[in-house]
Amino acid sequence: VIGNSGSALREVQGDSITEKLCSQEKAAFVKSRDPYNMAGDYNQFGLMGGLSTMGAAFDRGMVLALSIADDTAQRMQWLDSKLPAGASPEAPGVARGPCELSWGD
């Protein structure tokens, strides 16, 4: 048996996906929120019922749908750059990869 790894964030404690861990992660990653999408509560997952609602949806059955798209307006920065622009790369969730904001053309 291979155990789950623990959280690498000091403010997020645990090694299992629980309601508490999800709430702690939402609070820790708030600085990486898109400044152009500030409407509503940041913890939409919790507001929509969290893990229990997700578990009920799994019980009803799901189909995996995967879409890969090129985001020419943002040059795929959401995937492998540092966003939001101007935020400290030290903040959890900001450094999403090694690419510079100017790359991707």
Side-chain angles (χ1 to χ4, degrees), residues 1 8 23 34 42-43 49 53 58 63 67 70 72 92 98 100-101 103:
V1 174
S23 294
D34 184 344
Y42 184 66
N43 190 355
T53 299
F58 284 146
V63 174
S67 175
D70 182 8
T72 56
E100 297 295 329
L101 290 172
W103 296 358

Side-chain angles (χ1 to χ4, degrees), residues 14-98:
D15 61 2
S16 295
I17 298 175
T18 64
E19 296 285 353
K20 181 179 178 183
L21 182 118
C22 290
S23 294
Q24 289 175 342
E25 282 194 345
K26 284 295 186 181
F29 282 80
V30 74
K31 291 181 181 173
S32 66
R33 184 174 185 175
D34 184 344
Y36 301 105
N37 184 19
M38 298 303 283
D41 190 312
Y42 184 66
N43 190 355
Q44 291 292 319
F45 182 70
L47 287 177
M48 300 294 178
L51 291 175
S52 61
T53 299
M54 189 171 74
F58 284 146
D59 287 341
R60 292 190 300 273
M62 293 187 165
V63 174
L64 174 63
L66 179 66
S67 175
I68 300 175
D70 182 8
D71 179 15
T72 56
Q74 293 295 315
R75 298 175 293 199
M76 300 294 283
Q77 293 173 351
W78 62 270
L79 178 64
D80 58 6
S81 189
K82 296 166 188 68
L83 287 176
S88 169
E90 303 301 317
V94 173
R96 301 167 188 204

